[in-house]
Structures are given as structure tokens and as C-alpha cells.
Amino acid sequence: MPLRKDIHKVLVIGSGPIVIGQAAEFDYAGTQACRALKKEGLEVVLINSNPATIMTDKNMADKIYIEPLTLDAVKKIIKIEKPDSLLSTLGGQTGLTLSMQLAKDGFLAQNNVKLLGAKPETIDKAEDRQMFKDTLESIGEPCIPSKVVESVEAALDFAKVITYPVIVRPAFTMGGTGGGIAQTAEELETIAENGIRSSPIGQILVEKCISGWKEIEFEVIRDSKGNAITVCSMENIDPVGVHTGDSIVVAPCVTLGNKEFNMLRTSALNIVQALGVEGGCNVQFALEPNSFDYGVIEVNPRVSRSSALASKATGYPIAKVATRIAIGYTLDEIINQVTGTTYACSEPALDYLVVKFPKFPFDKFVYAKKTLGTQMKATGEVMSIGTSFESAIMKAIRGAELGMDTLTKPEFTKLSDDEIIAKLSDIDVDRLFCIFEALKRGVSVDKINEITWVDKWFIRKFKNLSDIEKEMANGLGLTQELYNRAKNYGYLDKTIIELSKQNLDNINRKSMVYKTVDTCAAEFAADTPYFYSTYDDENEAAEFIEKNNTGKKKIIVFGSGPIRIGQGIEFDYCSVHCVWALKELGYEAIICNNNPETVSTDFDTGDRLYFDPLTPEDADSILATEKPDGVVVQFGGQTAIKLTKHLQKIGANILGTPAESIDAAEDREKFDVLLEQCGIPRPEGSTVFTTEEALTVAEELGYPVLLRPSYVLGGQNMIIAHCDDDVSEYMDIITATKLENPVLVDKYMQGVEVEVDAICDGTDFLIPGIMEHIERAGVHSGDSISVYPTQTLSSKIKKIIVDYTEKLAKALKVVGLVNIQYVVHDNQVYVIEVNPRSSRTVPYISKVTGVPMVDIAVKAMLGVSLKEQGYESGVFPESGYIAVKVPVFSFEKLHDVDTQLGPEMKSTGEVLGIAKTFDEALFKGLMAAGVKMFSEGGVLFTVRNNDKPEIIEIAERFERLGFKLYATGGTAGVLNRNMVAANFAFKINEEPNHERNVISLIESGKIQYVISTSETGRKPALDSVKIRRKSTERGVACLTSLDTASALLKCLEMNKTIDDVEMIDITKI
Amino acid sequence: MKKAWLILQDGTKFEGYSFGADGDVTGEVVFATNMTGFQESLTDPNCQGQILVQTFPTVGNVGINEENSISEKNAAGLIVREYCDEPSNFREKGTLGEFMKQRGITGLCGIDTRKLTRHLREHGSMPGTIQLTIDNGQLTINEPMKIDFTEIYANEIAQMKKRTESNETIFASEQEHLFLAAAMGCEIYKMKTGHRGNNQPVIDLRTGKIHITRQNHGYAVKSVPADVGEVILENVNDRTIEGIKYKNIPAVSVQFNAAEVELCR
């Protein structure tokens, strides 16, 4: 059936801010959906609170609302826009849950809105644990013995029947939030309690733990006629028990025989039929490795992280096809875009192997637990494609930016054999590296399999790598044959030289060639230039370039790699816009990136896509094949910036800001010289290498001081030290790994933090907007609430900022984008940081001001001046709207991470509130970030001495609103002495079981907000950290900056609901 | 591993390593895109005499298992990118290489199978030889390859003809589908590369329903005269005939493995 005649205006709900378990994959899916709908001539209305997305771009939909994804806001927008349909399955769990609620309470029916994608019955059958079990039973599909319970007691009773260990899975949560494996009744009590709380319907599933079974996934797509195919099968290297988002995944399955493969494939198709899914669906299985026993673990009747991976792994665009199915098409009517001749009803055939490798945030959260379980912890992932498993895993490791290009983890080499064998039992982020170290020590494949349950096929592949590394290092010399073998396993020349301690002078070097991802294993000719590298004889990319010579100039855009804290979806937004701008200007735009979740790696974003790691040697090969006229590094975050030196060395034409300037901005000494020349002050400071030096410098500057390594990303490993102990603790951690660059010690200045993104063409500069942070300097800019335009700065200060920005941009010879952070202290403006590249704030400022920053920057880089583009030098006129960007964290998923904000970035995503007044914008922003607005209840204060004077006013305001105040010893004293009535609360150890003990209070539900600041943090054993963790686990908003608390109060004092504020269509700004 | 070469009729050479049985082998070189089931495709009667190229990059990973359905017939040669000599599967009863030795199947591994597949796609399936030595590099085939289907399978077609005359209800699949069509007077032609894989989409023209099918054939029915029967199934990608309902006899035939369609509905 072609396009349904009764669909004209479709509402698409996005997935909101990036959090662990719900990341950029939904921007990729949502963007595909919007484009597919628009292509059909349908009117598209979009709601998404996340401004850093491509899908919220003006040309993606007809009406775009960057508003809180709450039921009330969505209802309000439906009433305004009156869409006839709602697409429910492209916005992750957030979009699906909202759609369900709208359907179930009859709102959609009342407003004549059809639900497209998945029917409520389908969603219930897949997500309600009991209905899911019943559905599976009715079609004879096995599930794992389990029971849905709503109380801890019932969980304990059932666990007794099925025996421990058991897995707890909360209903209707994403990324398995609140779940876990319990080995004992004691553990189950805690986990079940957590799970019940995490589930919006207070329901958990207690399930028999099937440790050691294989975890297999199928991506299925089905149309309204009941035609269904499996797009891709995937196999986790880690056995069942590790969340699939945290697992190393291989596509397609490689350790299954034909019989078990088809058994599971058939089961997946049967399930999707029974559920009546129309669109994409993910089915997860557990398979006993020594029999045909299996059980269905989970079904997601929507596009997901796995479907994004499957799309990139096969070239089959699941989200696009699912969207077209939702509006009426069937699989035999949809052309396979990659071949251009076959149809969407062919199951893709792969002639390569794909590895997905997760990216974890533990480099930032040094005290967090690194163990893996049913709750996802990864912030992002990389995908790699190889013609052998070995080469694919090698690409994945070097692409994940772990500072490693083999599977050898340096710290494991220091452990004894016994320690390594003992560590094999730990299910954590380093397990693969531990297996590799064990293999190097001669531990047998069988023994490793016995301990880890990882299939022997994989272990033998790792052994191939450890064997060849030994062979290269054995001192017998590198033969051509050995070199060739190493290349086929995916070793870089650099690594071969390091391992063999030999140069390659006598070796006939192999260069990479490119093969095509074509959905059909070369059965049909492919139209789509989607490539990956391998060491073979035929270069399909070179062939393609020759055959399709357009005569256009070619530019390579380097992307931003895996999503991590500090380098998120914003950089993909910028990369994609750069590509679009290049195409519009008549260039051929070529993308290199390795993140499967993103829009940039969609095969129809650029003119050509190279899905490969972003290392110098990989870049060399692409340049050798493409022979580009220019390369762009300033939009791909630090990942692309890191390539600058190398690209300059090999003589590539780097467009925009010169490499020397990028270096000057990052090299402390050069930067200081530059600032001096410009006459711009910065906080006093110095560079050090040792603890002793650091202590001396801190003494000279006077506490507090800011410590950070040079060359930082997202405030990695940055702290504010208030005393010698802080300095020593920090330096001990940082000097534990080899220090290549010095540590910076700066005077910490408390003041208003201001941020500027500017575009420069070498002569003129344009500042689209100046932003001001709500939190005083000291909180990382990515974690601060950021306001555009500034609200408190005098015109004199603004003038100085504009002046400094111009001077810096010119001194650095910026051509393109530059991001500068300032602190205003005692009416003096100081520069904190200059980044001659795109930044986190570019997407949101572009959207609010209507200045397409990346487009302008790209044009400037290609020689079109700002004047020629119609822009005056200076500050762009302020918008009539106020935009407040609020950070969003994933603390509930990361155990033992201190939630206190500081100079080290912790947020995973952001939302935006837009309104005509500051208060309303702030209100929307906080709402969108999930902060609940209570009008009564309790507030608990426990603050450091420095903050005590300021807390009085804040407490008073809460009191005036009718909140009951609680405070620990010192804080309570200060409040009461100042005539603010606060109830005394015991500290954690004072009266552990007393109802007024801080922990009991938080657990009792009497506390709605916690305001907690402390001089030191981070260490999980500290009381202050425990209080903040408890709040997070209990879902109580915990504010760790008085400025944030004051901002929240502003909203509470307004006493408004979403009904009182205007919904804003940003296409009209 | 010993070196070995594939030499195609048009002179194209691939250098790799030998596995499985020793000894040179000549046959039509065809590619198959299935990602699992190398044992099944290698022992598919349709592959008899052929040199099978698996496009999947690693083959042998689950070894050989003893299913009673394993056929007596097999391909003459097997070409893979990577041969896995250490299988891992609970049903594994020996390696693929050992099995090939027993059956006398010559193997070639370590070549760029995608390059070979693309070559076959562009130029069509063609004869080739796997050999352990290379001298002049010229492929000389003593006897020209027979390509006329009715000539190669004259006996089978004659037998099928008899069955059609007996008024027996016939359900024919795979090769039998072609025998039946030929017996009923339909023209059979040799396809450029054929259909070999587990992912061939077939549409039932009566209902619009799609089946994903396992196929392994290099010949197809060109057309069905209106008085002989009706085409009921077509390949979605290339619109070749995949199923026929006959008019004057109680017979239906399909080009694919029907058991699996039933299995997968």
C-alpha cells in the first residue's frame, strides 16, 4: 500500500537530552524520520527539548518546539498544532512512553490524532512484563523463568523458588536503570527496592540469572501486511548479564551454527508477528551455549541504539524504512537506497565483520565502580568494520580513543599471573584487556573460557593477536611474511614498529584500500559510497572516485568519534552542518568518522563516507585515496583537532584557522605570550610536573587554586583545591600515569563566567551572542546553566568582552569558529580558555539567534568574507527571546560518582528553555531537565563553611514558600541564629537510625530538595558524597551550587505551570 | 599452509593458500552470500561439480556437525577469505578441512573474495581451476562446459515428464522446479550469476506476501506459456520466476528451499 491518504500533518516526538542509555542514535533516527516524512510532502511538527540535535534544525520540520518533554507540554502543542497523526517509535523510550500515555488517557482519540508506528497493544505486549510473558507463552516462545512483582517481599519470595542469582529488571525504564544482579537475599533487597522506585509503574521483573549464556540480538522490520525480515543479527562477546549497550558486540553472529541461527531468527520473526509491530523491532535472546535451549530476554518495539548500529553495520536504514512503513508503505515498495535496484525486503548479506565497542566515562569518574551489569554505563560507542575479526577489533580499540592501539593495557602488565587470573572473574570494563593479558601470560583458551564464558572462537581470535605480538617482539626480525600477516590483523605500521623495535626500511609496505558496505555482499552493484579500510588489492573507493568524477573540489571533514562527557552530539551537529555547507557551495564533502549513532555517519549525509578510526595513519590512507583539496578539523571536537599537527606535517591543506594557532591556544607558554601581546589578563598561574612544585605554586598563589592538565577535554581531571591535601591527592592520581604535558596551577577566581562563540574571516568577526552562566566560575561551563543573552553584565563589561574577543581572534588568526571563556571578577574581565574550534554552544546559539554559525564559518574558511555574506563586524543584534541551556546528568546510572559540580564536566546532555522572559525560559529549562517543581515539602541543607553566609537568604526564600527546612549541625546553627527556623538533622554517623538522620530523612520522602556543598568531594566514603548519592538514588533533586538553588527558587516563586507559559515554534524566531 | 591459485577462464588469477583436499580441481565458479550454513551450501546437490565462493569473510567457525540430512553430494571446490581450523560449537564433529579431505573437496583460502565476487558479478559465473602449482597460468579446459539445461539434465527431466503424465499431485522445489518446468515445455536459461544465499525475497503475486528464501541455483525459468501455467511467485529484486501453478496437471513448483519458508512462514 502506498502513502496513506488520511495522513497530512505528523507530530514527531524526539528523545530529549542525551543521557546514558538514550543518546545520539535518536537524533539519527529522528532526523531520518523527519526527512522521510517531508519527502512525502507531509507537514512535520517536532517536539524535542534537546537543542544540540540535527532534527531540531529549521529545515528538518515545518514546526519545531524545543520545549520540555512532559505530558502537559506535548498536549498543549497538540492542541495548538492539531496534527492528524503522531509517530511514536522514533523518539526512544521517552517518545514511546509519552505517546503511550497520550493514547491511553484518550487524549489522542479526543483530538483526532492517529498513532503511527506502534499501537498501544503492541507496546504493552512488549513492555508490560506480565503481558510480554503471556504473549510469548501463547506462541510457544520460551522466556526465562521470571515473575513480575511490585514489592520487595514478593521479589524475595520468588527468588527463593527460582534460586539465586537473580536479575532484577524494572518495567518501563531505559538502559536498564535501577536493575541489577543479586547473588543473595540481602543484595536483592537493595536492588529490588531501587528497581521498584525507578520504574514509573513501580514494577520489576525478578528473573532467573542465566550467567554464561550467549546474548544474541536480532533487528527485525515488519510492515502492515505482515511482511517481516531480519535486518541484522548481533552477538555479544560478553555473555548474558552485561547490558548490551556496555557489551562488545559483533555483527553478524559468528559463533552460531545454521540450525541455532535459524531457530532464533524464526523466533524473532514469530514474536514480531505476534506483537503486531509495524516498523523496527529489536529482539534479544539468551542462548545456552551447549544446547538449543534459549529464552527471550527483551523486545523493544521501536528503533533503538541497536537499530542504529544495525543500520550502520549493514547499510540498511532502519529508521527511514520504519517511518515509511508507519505512513503506509510496504517492504516490497521501498527501494534499497544503497543498491538502487533491490528492495527493502531483502535481508542484508555482509561480507565483513563489524565490532561495536563501548566508550565509558571512567576516565573522568575515577572513583566510580567500573563493574558492568544490567544497568548501562557507557556514554557512547565506536563501530569498526573489517574483513577479519582481528582487524575489526583492532580498529575498534584505536578508534575508541583509550590511548591504546593494541589490546595491551599497560597497567595489567604490572600484575602477577595470579592477579591476572583472579581478575578474569571481574565483569568490568577492562575484561577484554585482562583476557588479552592472560593470553600473553600463556593462560589457555579453555581456562579463560571456563572463567569468563566468552566463546572460544573469540578467545582464539584474541590469541592470534597476542601470538603475533609475541612473534613481532621476539627479536628474530620482522619478515615480509610476518609484516603482511600483522597488516591483515589490522596493525598500524606505527604499532608494528613499536612492537618489533625495528624500522620498516626493508619491508614492502602495504597500504589500506577501501571496500564498500553495500547490503548485499557484492551480489549487486552499489550506488552508495560507504567505505571501510582493509589491506587487500582492490580499492573500490578509488574506483568510485574515478568513475564518478564530478570535477568538483574535494574536502574531507573529520568527525568527533565516540560520544563522551565533554564531547557530545554538538560536534556531530557541527560536522554535519559543515558537510551540508560544503555541498551547497559546490564542493564534494567527504566524511570520516566511526560513531554509529550519528547523523554524520548516515551514508547519505556526505558525498562519501569513510567509516574508520580517526588516527593519523587511518587519515593518511584516506588522504592518499581521495587526494582532497582541503581538510577540515575544527568541527570534530578534540578528536579532529588532535589530527591537526599530523595533517600539517604531511602537507594537507587545513582549511580555516592555521595549525600554529591551534597549538598556541593549547600550549600554555605560547598562550601566555599571546595574551601579553594583546594586553589581556588571565588568572595568575604556572605549570608544574611534580607534587612538590604544585604545592609551592599553590602556596604562592594562595588557595583556592585550580589544577588541570594542559590539553584538556571537558575539564578532564580538573579540580579546585582548597588546601595542601587536595593538591597532593590530585597530583598523586594524575602522576600515576605518565605525564607528557605539565599540570597547570591557576589562581581560582570566583566570579561570573561568560562564554562567547565567534566567527572570524581573518579580517572581520561576528559574535552571534554572549552567554552568561548562572553558576559562578568553578563549575565547568558544560555543567552550568547558560543564559543567552546575558542578564547581569553592564554594557561596559560587554564592550570589553567584545574587544578581547576581537583581539584574540585576530591574534590567533582565526578563520572559522572560536570559543572563548571569560570570568568577570571585581569588574575585571579575565580570559580562562580559548578554543579555536566549534563548541558545545554552537547549535543552541545558532537556533536562538537564527545565525547559521557553521555555515557562515565554512564559507569564511573557503574565502567568502563575512561582509560578502551580509554580516557586519561585531555583535549580532540580541534576539527577542531568552534561551536558557540546562545540563542533564546521568548520575543515577553511575554508582559512587559524586554529584557535586566542579571544574570537571559531569553532564551527559542538555536541554533548552526558550521564552520571552528570563524567568519563564529558566522554568522551561529546569522542567525539561527533569527538575520537579514542588510547592511544599522539605528542604535539607548541608553546606560548607564558605557558603554559610549565603545560605541564609536561600533558606528564607524556601521558608517563605512554605517549605519545612532541615539542616545539619553547623548549617542549622547559622540559620537559627539568623532567625530562619531550621530543624536540626543528624549527620550520617550521629544517630544512624534516628528519623532525623540525614539519610533517614531523604529516604522518608519528606525531603523534596537537597542543597549540599562541601569543600572536598569525589571520594565515595565522604559523608557529603553519601548524602548526594542517596538523593540521586532516591530521585530527590540535589543542588550543589547556591546559584542553581537560587535559580530554582526563582521558578518556584513564579508559581506557574506549563499551561501558563507560551509554547514557541522556533522556526518563527 | 601450501600456496594455491585460482585461475579463471578469462585468465584472472588469485593467489591464496590451499586447505581441505589436495589436488587440482576445475568447475564453474559461483558465489553464495549466505552468512551461516557453509556445511549446507557445500553439500547442496545443486552445487555438484561447482567451485563455491563464500562471500562471508570467515568460514569453518562452527565446524562440521553430523546432521542426518547431510547430502552425499557436494561442490568440487570451496573458496573462502579466511578458513577457520579451530571450530567452536557444541555439535562440532570435526573441522571443515577434515570433512573436505574426506569428500575430496579442494579448498582455497586467503584471497580477496569480494574482488572475486565482483568479478563474477560483472562477467558472470565462469569456469575456473584451483591448482597447487602455477606454470603458464593459462586455463585450458579440455571439454567445453555444457550450459544447456535440458541437455545436462535430460534424464531428470524425462523422469519428471513421466510423473506429470501419471496425474500424481506434484510439489516441486529447487532443482525439481526446473525439471518440472522443462518437462512442461517452459524455456530454461542460464542466469548470469544465479541466486545463492539465504536472503532472496520472493513475493506471492496472489497475496502480496513476501517470503525470505534460501536459494541455490544458476538456472531459471524464462517464461511460462499461458496454457501451461501461471506464475505465482516472483523474485522481488530481479523479477525472475520463483513459483508456478500448472494448469492441466495438479502441480505447483517453487525455485527455493520450501522447507525453510514453511519454517519462517
Side-chain angles (χ1 to χ4, degrees), chain B residues 108-163:
Chain B
L108 175 71
C109 65
I111 72 153
D112 184 346
T113 44
R114 183 171 168 89
K115 183 179 174 185
L116 173 57
T117 304
R118 293 177 83 227
H119 188 81
L120 296 172
R121 178 186 81 208
E122 294 308 314
H123 303 281
S125 302
M126 64 180 82
T129 176
I130 300 175
Q131 50 193 52
L132 291 169
T133 52
I134 189 161
D135 7 285
N136 54 9
Q138 282 301 312
L139 174 60
T140 44
I141 295 167
N142 300 333
E143 271 175 79
M145 291 279 275
K146 285 188 207 159
I147 57 160
D148 182 12
F149 189 80
T150 49
E151 197 187 319
I152 306 168
Y153 297 103
N155 287 340
E156 288 85 350
I157 296 167
Q159 264 175 18
M160 186 59 86
K161 181 90 185 152
K162 267 186 209 152
R163 283 175 68 191

Side-chain angles (χ1 to χ4, degrees), chain B residues 3-178:
Chain B
K3 282 226 163 128
W5 286 263
L6 168 73
I7 302 166
L8 293 176
Q9 192 178 37
D10 63 6
T12 313
K13 291 185 205 69
F14 290 85
E15 184 186 316
Y17 296 92
S18 156
F19 75 106
D22 274 345
D24 299 355
V25 65
T26 301
E28 185 189 12
V29 184
V30 298
F31 69 84
T33 64
N34 50 299
M35 299 186 284
T36 56
F38 56 86
Q39 172 178 331
E40 286 78 356
S41 38
L42 191 64
T43 57
D44 188 317
N46 296 305
C47 281
Q48 223 180 338
Q50 292 174 331
I51 295 175
L52 182 69
V53 184
Q54 287 282 352
T55 60
F56 196 62
T58 177
V59 175
N61 47 342
V62 292
I64 292 291
N65 58 63
E66 291 170 330
E67 290 286 301
N68 34 17
S69 64
I70 197 162
S71 98
E72 297 293 312
K73 297 176 178 169
N74 51 256
L78 178 66
I79 298 177
V80 300
R81 180 183 278 278
E82 171 189 277
Y83 163 59
C84 175
D85 200 31
E86 291 181 298
S88 165
N89 189 267
F90 70 101
R91 289 192 301 155
E92 175 253 308
K93 288 278 191 303
T95 68
L96 171 62
E98 287 160 8
F99 175 78
M100 286 167 64
K101 277 200 180 99
Q102 283 161 23
R103 291 278 183 114
I105 306 170
T106 302
L108 175 71
C109 65
I111 72 153
D112 184 346
T113 44
R114 183 171 168 89
K115 183 179 174 185
L116 173 57
T117 304
R118 293 177 83 227
H119 188 81
L120 296 172
R121 178 186 81 208
E122 294 308 314
H123 303 281
S125 302
M126 64 180 82
T129 176
I130 300 175
Q131 50 193 52
L132 291 169
T133 52
I134 189 161
D135 7 285
N136 54 9
Q138 282 301 312
L139 174 60
T140 44
I141 295 167
N142 300 333
E143 271 175 79
M145 291 279 275
K146 285 188 207 159
I147 57 160
D148 182 12
F149 189 80
T150 49
E151 197 187 319
I152 306 168
Y153 297 103
N155 287 340
E156 288 85 350
I157 296 167
Q159 264 175 18
M160 186 59 86
K161 181 90 185 152
K162 267 186 209 152
R163 283 175 68 191
T164 62
E165 286 157 1
S166 70
N167 213 19
E168 168 198 354
T169 303
I170 301 175
F171 179 78
S173 67
E174 299 180 87
Q175 263 192 328
E176 283 200 331
H177 156 80
L178 296 171

Side-chain angles (χ1 to χ4, degrees), chain A residues 804-815:
Chain A
Y804 283 1
T805 303
E806 180 177 12
K807 278 186 182 150
L808 280 168
K810 283 190 175 157
L812 281 169
K813 301 189 186 69
V814 171
V815 178

Side-chain angles (χ1 to χ4, degrees), chain A residues 750-793:
Chain A
Q750 210 175 40
V752 178
E753 203 168 321
V754 180
E755 194 166 349
V756 169
D757 285 304
I759 311 159
C760 216
D761 62 6
T763 315
D764 290 324
F765 72 105
L766 172 68
I767 299 177
I770 304 175
M771 295 155 272
E772 176 184 352
H773 295 173
I774 295 238
E775 289 84 2
R776 272 158 283 191
V779 172
H780 188 276
S781 63
D783 287 351
S784 308
I785 300 178
S786 164
V787 185
Y788 162 84
T790 59
Q791 301 294 302
T792 69
L793 299 187

Side-chain angles (χ1 to χ4, degrees), chain A residues 244-245 247-250 305 309 312-313 354-360 378-385 392-402 530 560-564 567 593-598 601 611-615 639:
Chain A
T244 181
S247 294
I248 305 167
V249 178
V250 180
R305 179 184 45 260
L309 178 65
K312 300 292 166 69
V354 168
V355 170
K356 180 217 80 174
F357 197 89
K359 177 80 179 167
F360 293 101
T379 54
E381 61 196 36
V382 295
M383 183 182 99
S384 61
I385 313 175
I393 193 89
M394 290 294 286
K395 273 191 191 179
I397 297 298
R398 68 174 185 265
E401 297 179 55
L402 304 167
Y530 172 5
S560 54
I563 288 190
R564 66 210 88 163
Q567 189 167 303
N593 199 8
N594 65 349
N595 183 344
E597 308 172 306
T598 56
T601 53
F611 209 110
D612 269 322
L614 295 146
T615 74
T639 302

